[in-house]
Amino acid sequence: MAEQLSNHQAKPQQTNQATTEDILTIFKRRGLFDSLRKSLFADFKESSTHESLIAAIESLVESDSSATLATRNRGKAAALLEGSVNRSEAFGNVNKYIDEHVSTRNEELNRKIEEMVREINNELRTATDTSTEAQKQVTKPETKGNRQ
């Protein structure tokens, strides 16, 4: 009996509350961040801002100043093109679109994330309850065996 108490005291009480790290890990493993990102990107691809960005990139590639891109290796050409796009007005418009779009969908995104987290938390709680019940079933025969 004293051995059982010391084992019980050595182990902290398990709670049914999942840790933030548990939820975050599961959120990432299931690709839920990616699904939200893909949803936002799909919206962006349907926007006029996306069309203007593509047009601006095509214009940069076709311009005389970018004629040297063809003579450079791919890595250098990509870096030069990226710098040109970052300095262009089109890239600023993309940032503005992202800020506006996310802020208008903020409540919806928060609701989706909260729902996903709640679902994960419930699953973890159910798994913990099931595990705790299984542990109780396993320890019952041992308790009877120790009394003999």
Side-chain angles (χ1 to χ4, degrees):
M1 182 78 155
E3 185 179 327
Q4 288 177 345
L5 288 176
S6 65
N7 285 342
H8 178 69
Q9 290 171 348
K11 295 179 184 177
Q13 289 289 337
Q14 288 185 347
T15 64
N16 288 345
Q17 190 67 25
T19 66
T20 304
E21 287 123 16
D22 294 339
I23 293 171
L24 183 61
T25 299
I26 292 171
F27 203 90
K28 287 179 181 178
R29 282 188 186 153
R30 290 186 181 171
L32 299 176
F33 282 124
D34 288 336
S35 68
L36 292 171
R37 181 188 52 80
K38 286 177 184 177
S39 171
L40 291 170
F41 186 67
D43 291 347
F44 170 70
K45 285 181 75 171
E46 294 175 5
S47 71
S48 61
T49 305
H50 178 260
E51 292 173 13
S52 65
L53 176 65
I54 297 299
I57 292 171
E58 288 172 349
S59 173
L60 285 170
V61 170
E62 293 172 359
S63 72
D64 291 337
S65 63
S66 296
T68 58
L69 290 177
T71 61
R72 306 226 182 227
N73 70 34
R74 287 182 99 174
K76 288 182 181 179
L80 289 171
L81 184 59
E82 180 181 3
S84 295
V85 170
N86 287 342
R87 289 186 299 276
S88 75
E89 184 179 314
F91 191 70
N93 291 339
V94 170
N95 285 330
K96 183 178 176 184
Y97 169 85
I98 290 169
D99 290 342
E100 290 173 358
H101 187 66
V102 170
S103 68
T104 58
R105 290 189 59 194
N106 192 29
E107 287 182 30
E108 174 192 349
L109 293 171
N110 282 338
R111 209 172 325 114
K112 280 183 179 180
I113 292 170
E114 286 173 1
E115 184 179 305
M116 292 172 181
V117 168
R118 200 174 303 114
E119 182 180 313
I120 291 169
N121 199 18
N122 289 338
E123 289 173 15
L124 289 172
R125 187 175 300 127
T126 302
T128 302
D129 290 345
T130 304
S131 174
T132 303
E133 188 61 34
Q135 287 176 349
K136 287 178 184 177
Q137 293 298 325
V138 170
T139 56
K140 281 183 182 179
E142 292 178 76
T143 304
K144 289 179 183 176
N146 288 344
R147 289 183 183 172
Q148 292 178 347

